[in-house]
Amino acid sequence: MLPTLNGRLQTRIFMLVVFGGLITLVLTPILPDDPDYKTTYIILATVLVLGIIWELIYHGIQQFRWEKDWPTMFGLITAINEGALVWLLVDIGAVPGIDADSVPFWAFFIDFSVIWFVVWIWTNGPMRVPFIRWRFFGGRII
Amino acid sequence: MIEPSAASVVPSTDPSTYLPAQAITGDLTDQLLETDFWTDEMVAGAGIPIIDVPFVTVGSGIGSFVTVDYLRIAGVPTSQIRVLGALDKPWQTYEYLTRVSQVPRPERLRSDSASRPDNIWGFPSYGFAEGVRKFNLKILWQLFSEPIFADYYTPKAGNAFEQLEREKNRIGYDEMLVKGLVRVVRRRYGGGYFTILTPPEGASATKRVAFRSQYVHVAVGYPGLKFLPELQRYRTENNDYRHIVNAYEAHEHVYERLMQVPSTVVVRGGGIVASRVLQRLMDDRLLHGAQTNIVHLFRTYINGPNDGYGNEGDPRPGGGKPRMFMRRRGGDGWAYQGFNYPKSVWGGQLKAQVRKLDGEQRAEIYKRMGGTNTPWRKLWQKQMNQGRREGWYTCVVGAVEDMQPNGERIVNQVRTAQGTIPIEADFVIDCTGLEADIAEHRLLKDLLEHGGVTRNPVGRLNVDRSFELIGTASGAGAMYASGSSTLGGYFPGVDTFLGLQVAAQEIQADLRKRGFGKRIGPVRSTVQWWKWLAGSAP
Ligand SMILES: Cc1cc2nc3c(=O)[nH]c(=O)nc-3n(C[C@H](O)[C@H](O)[C@H](O)COP(=O)(O)OP(=O)(O)OC[C@H]3O[C@@H](n4cnc5c(N)ncnc54)[C@H](O)[C@@H]3O)c2cc1C
């Protein structure tokens, strides 16, 4: 990807709202240990809010790259740091609305990974089909 | 050695190809040539037939093709578009230039997986399609891990041409093509333009044909090749076009000779073409038994982190310091960069940044990002390392002061930091690939003199953000340009497939605002993509 800061933020919000929202809707009832919609959507919102901070950091890192690009691989492996942080906060009860130790790990893991993977795939190709200007404008949607 | 077919491919600036020896009917008159704005009566009075069409694109190369592709996808019928140029197939010049510069069909191009001139969406990318079709996990891994753990995936030239052919047929390109050379484009009194075409002999009853259109797009590619002056002098003085060649000329005879006789070759230049030529020389040596010694002549030797001003230790203009956030990899003489500009000029940060810059500031950032460079590729590194170890590949840093013949050989006097040294060689391959000034091109020169066109901060055609040529508006008409002749504008990556597509997108959007063609919104875009996939007409 060749994101600008503005484009990063827009793409992040768009993807998590659209794909995150839909996937959470479909996935929540079949996740192990039956988490409720409130929990899964709060977690999604947490990923989104923290994601905005992460994007600022990624943008900073990108400045050290001559090409000012964001390699495809980075888009996938950042699932590790982001997922770990969200899980940690969820598990210790630092996320408002979720009690400590109340979220089953595998439910979190599956939900988070599926969303991340779908968003990553979509960002690296199919997104260019409906939005032909998106890739030339740093990932901006509007 | 200029290949005969090259003459039809690389546009000739020789006036005799434009001006008839004797007056025949329907020719340009002095009155027309001296007038900036033409009336319909003037053109008709000269006996030149007038053809009406809303949009013409001049060039018929890849730039014309991708622009027309966009318009077709935006719902413009073939009857409203004419492509004027000398090429039968849009990739003809490109294929010629890549082939002679050592990228025949089975070799890989420079640009990336999503730079697909046959597909405005860049999806599926070349690499994804190749990886999935052949179920090649290596390619998929490469796409995933580039450029960190793997070289950038780049498509095979042959594949790119085949896909272009498919798209050409899909959009009905041949229905729009009118063959000939465009002599001038002049503004029309009352709005729009006249584009004067010289059809091939016998194709028309008159010497010229005029296309009267509301919109004109100019994509004439390279204005011409510029040879290094000392090489040119040697060639003409010694009438020797055999031993000194430009990489953009057909020069297969050099490689054939090297296979037969152990020789020394001087390669000049530090860009991708030099890399390609070295690969060919080294392949021939390592795989086919040639005994070639290679002397690689660098004018600027890059030894580490650098930018367009050279090594970080080199003096900067105005004494400025190298910038922490602008460091490009380099070493062994080369500046390393995947593509001809940093990748984000085609869509990310650098694109957004340059879009806001004018004048001096824009010229300065071009300088920083520009400069000669080549990709770091595993194979090339391996070959060069072996060559250095075994002593058949050596580098010299300096400028050639003089060249003299010595029997069949050439003595190059090279001024280096240690003084002037003579280097004797059997062949010199010039890979410096200098491009000529835009005024060397007859049509562009005419546009500068009579069309209202101005030059941008780096001296080429001045286009605005929508690729409209600044100063050429004519009533409700508009004239656009894309490709290498527009380098230096608000968008840096113009002379590439993706750059031509970026330009085409802007041009299409601007035309749409003027009421020509439809908007390519999410719905149209998606429907059109499916049509592309199915191979049905747009
Ligand atoms: C060796 C080489 C390798 C390259 N590799 C890549 C790559 O891997 N990836 C990439 O993205 N880009 C690459 N490029 C850059 C660029 O994408 C191509 O050069 C591309 O062909 C440019 O398209 P164009 O339409 O500007 O020029 P062209 O395709 O050359 O078409 C312009 C044509 O206009 C015609 N013309 C000129 N004057 C007139 C006239 N008066 N009347 C009518 N017709 C006229 C000429 O026939 C000319 O061929 C490469 C360039 C070179 C030289």
Side-chain angles (χ1 to χ4, degrees):
Chain A
M1 265 196 77
L2 302 172
T4 56
L5 180 57
N6 184 357
R8 277 180 177 282
L9 298 175
Q10 290 193 19
T11 300
R12 163 79 68 153
I13 295 166
F14 175 88
M15 295 290 173
L16 284 183
V17 168
V18 175
F19 290 98
L22 284 175
I23 294 170
T24 304
L25 187 71
V26 175
L27 224 51
T28 306
I30 52 173
L31 286 172
D33 299 319
D34 298 324
D36 56 6
Y37 275 118
K38 183 177 160 239
T39 310
T40 51
Y41 275 106
I42 287 179
I43 293 176
L44 180 64
T46 311
V47 175
L48 184 63
V49 172
L50 291 178
I52 289 172
I53 300 165
W54 281 114
E55 292 295 356
L56 296 173
I57 297 172
Y58 301 154
H59 181 73
I61 295 172
Q62 184 174 303
Q63 302 318 303
F64 289 92
R65 297 184 55 75
W66 163 259
E67 312 260 350
K68 306 283 178 278
D69 62 339
W70 196 246
T72 309
M73 195 172 126
F74 290 9
L76 190 66
I77 57 175
T78 42
I80 300 170
N81 49 304
E82 295 204 25
L85 180 66
V86 174
W87 171 250
L88 192 79
L89 295 178
V90 165
D91 201 43
I92 62 173
V95 176
I98 299 179
D99 297 331
D101 280 333
S102 69
V103 179
F105 175 77
W106 288 108
F108 168 82
F109 182 84
I110 294 169
D111 196 20
F112 183 90
S113 315
V114 170
I115 294 173
W116 196 279
F117 194 70
V118 170
V119 166
W120 179 72
I121 292 279
W122 189 265
T123 321
N124 280 295
M127 181 67 178
R128 307 201 285 258
V129 171
F131 301 104
I132 50 167
R133 291 175 77 79
W134 175 79
R135 70 166 161 158
F136 298 138
F137 286 84
R140 264 166 49 204
I141 293 159
I142 41 172
Chain B
M1 280 241 156
I2 295 182
E3 196 181 64
S5 71
S8 64
V9 174
V10 177
S12 163
T13 47
D14 175 5
S16 68
T17 59
Y18 296 86
L19 293 170
Q22 73 252 31
I24 42 165
T25 55
D27 196 5
L28 291 168
T29 59
D30 288 344
Q31 187 211 6
L32 281 171
L33 284 173
E34 282 156 17
T35 317
D36 289 359
F37 290 84
W38 294 356
T39 63
D40 297 346
E41 294 72 36
M42 284 166 70
V43 179
I48 303 175
I50 298 177
I51 297 169
D52 281 302
V53 61
F55 178 91
V56 299
T57 171
V58 179
S60 72
I62 304 214
S64 291
F65 179 78
V66 297
T67 307
V68 168
D69 196 30
Y70 251 98
L71 291 175
R72 295 284 292 120
I73 288 166
V76 179
T78 53
S79 61
Q80 298 197 9
I81 300 173
R82 283 296 171 266
V83 179
L84 312 179
L87 310 178
D88 291 314
K89 303 197 164 93
W91 57 91
Q92 201 167 320
T93 299
Y94 180 71
E95 184 167 10
Y96 164 78
L97 290 170
T98 44
R99 184 165 45 82
V100 294
S101 65
Q102 304 307 311
V103 192
R105 284 192 171 222
E107 288 288 325
R108 292 187 183 270
L109 301 176
R110 184 174 194 182
S111 52
D112 78 339
S113 182
S115 296
R116 283 193 77 147
D118 66 305
N119 172 321
I120 69 166
W121 305 271
F123 177 77
S125 66
Y126 284 125
F128 185 71
E130 187 180 345
V132 169
R133 201 176 50 241
K134 301 184 189 156
F135 195 67
N136 186 330
L137 289 177
K138 216 178 133 205
I139 288 182
L140 295 176
W141 166 253
Q142 186 180 6
L143 286 176
F144 172 73
S145 60
E146 69 176 19
I148 309 293
F149 296 124
D151 295 347
Y152 274 114
Y153 170 91
T154 65
K156 288 200 172 133
N159 182 31
F161 301 142
E162 280 156 28
Q163 301 298 323
L164 275 167
E165 179 135 33
R166 172 186 184 266
E167 182 67 353
K168 171 177 92 72
N169 296 336
R170 188 182 80 91
I171 64 168
Y173 182 84
D174 292 340
E175 292 166 32
M176 300 177 273
L177 181 63
V178 182
K179 291 199 60 185
L181 277 181
V182 169
R183 168 67 173 82
V184 294
V185 180
R186 291 286 169 94
R187 287 165 289 181
R188 175 177 167 270
Y189 192 80
Y193 307 86
F194 285 109
T195 303
I196 300 295
L197 180 84
T198 314
E201 254 189 75
S204 149
T206 51
K207 175 77 189 170
R208 322 275 187 188
V209 178
F211 286 82
R212 181 168 54 195
S213 67
Q214 186 84 313
Y215 310 109
V216 175
H217 171 236
V218 179
V220 290
Y222 303 105
L225 268 188
K226 195 161 107 188
F227 284 88
L228 290 171
E230 68 272 12
L231 294 185
Q232 194 52 30
R233 207 176 320 118
Y234 184 94
R235 281 163 57 127
T236 36
E237 275 171 15
N238 300 292
N239 192 23
D240 179 0
Y241 293 83
R242 258 189 82 73
H243 296 97
I244 298 197
V245 293
N246 184 288
Y248 287 129
E249 296 173 298
H251 59 279
E252 201 49 38
H253 69 274
V254 174
Y255 304 110
E256 279 162 15
R257 182 80 188 151
L258 296 176
M259 290 301 297
Q260 292 153 1
V261 187
S263 317
T264 300
V265 179
V266 170
V267 174
R268 298 186 57 175
I272 181 136
V273 175
S275 295
R276 302 267 192 211
V277 166
L278 288 176
Q279 183 192 337
R280 171 69 191 268
L281 293 169
M282 294 182 181
D283 279 349
D284 281 354
R285 180 173 178 118
L286 297 170
L287 307 172
H288 309 295
Q291 290 299 311
T292 313
N293 271 311
I294 304 165
V295 180
H296 188 179
L297 185 59
F298 283 103
R299 199 183 41 189
T300 319
Y301 190 88
I302 303 293
N303 52 27
N306 64 92
D307 59 21
Y309 290 118
N311 293 305
E312 286 194 336
D314 297 346
R316 325 256 93 202
K321 278 217 161 79
R323 293 187 198 171
M324 186 141 98
F325 297 118
M326 281 210 124
R327 306 182 82 197
R328 172 166 60 194
R329 270 212 295 171
D332 297 318
W334 311 89
Y336 294 121
Q337 184 170 291
F339 313 106
N340 60 347
Y341 276 90
K343 201 170 182 212
S344 67
V345 306
W346 287 281
Q349 256 186 271
L350 286 167
K351 179 168 186 278
Q353 191 181 344
V354 183
R355 208 173 157 85
K356 291 188 226 122
L357 300 180
D358 280 295
E360 275 288 290
Q361 280 179 311
R362 207 198 303 160
E364 136 88 355
I365 194 153
Y366 268 86
K367 185 94 184 91
R368 280 193 181 273
M369 302 184 297
T372 309
N373 60 72
T374 197
W376 190 101
R377 289 193 185 162
K378 266 201 202 92
L379 172 69
W380 294 347
Q381 294 292 328
K382 195 174 143 240
Q383 289 184 328
M384 286 188 294
N385 285 337
Q386 184 175 352
R388 282 186 206 105
R389 248 190 347 261
E390 295 171 5
W392 44 264
Y393 170 61
T394 46
C395 287
V396 177
V397 189
V400 177
E401 289 200 313
D402 194 24
M403 300 168 73
Q404 305 113 15
N406 179 14
E408 279 284 287
R409 310 187 88 199
I410 305 144
V411 184
N412 298 272
Q413 299 293 346
V414 183
R415 182 163 34 84
T416 68
Q418 290 79 39
T420 302
I421 53 165
I423 296 174
E424 199 167 311
D426 300 277
F427 293 99
V428 176
I429 306 179
D430 171 22
C431 307
T432 53
L434 292 178
E435 274 179 55
D437 184 72
I438 53 170
E440 307 258 315
H441 191 282
R442 183 97 182 189
L443 171 63
L444 302 183
K445 182 168 191 268
D446 189 79
L447 283 170
L448 285 164
E449 287 168 0
H450 298 283
V453 167
T454 54
R455 288 177 186 261
N456 68 24
V458 306
R460 308 226 188 153
L461 299 179
N462 201 11
V463 292
D464 70 15
R465 293 174 186 82
S466 63
F467 288 84
E468 184 178 353
L469 276 160
I470 294 168
T472 61
S474 172
M479 181 156 28
Y480 305 89
S482 51
S484 106
S485 56
T486 64
L487 186 89
Y490 292 104
F491 164 63
V494 284
D495 184 31
T496 57
F497 299 157
L498 209 49
L500 292 166
Q501 279 179 322
V502 168
Q505 184 176 86
E506 298 291 350
I507 293 168
Q508 188 273 322
D510 197 62
L511 286 170
R512 205 269 311 171
K513 281 192 212 133
R514 295 166 189 268
F516 187 67
K518 303 196 178 92
R519 193 172 93 90
I520 310 182
V523 175
R524 167 169 282 273
S525 185
T526 307
V527 171
Q528 288 293 329
W529 182 81
W530 282 104
K531 289 191 172 180
W532 176 88
L533 195 67
S536 54

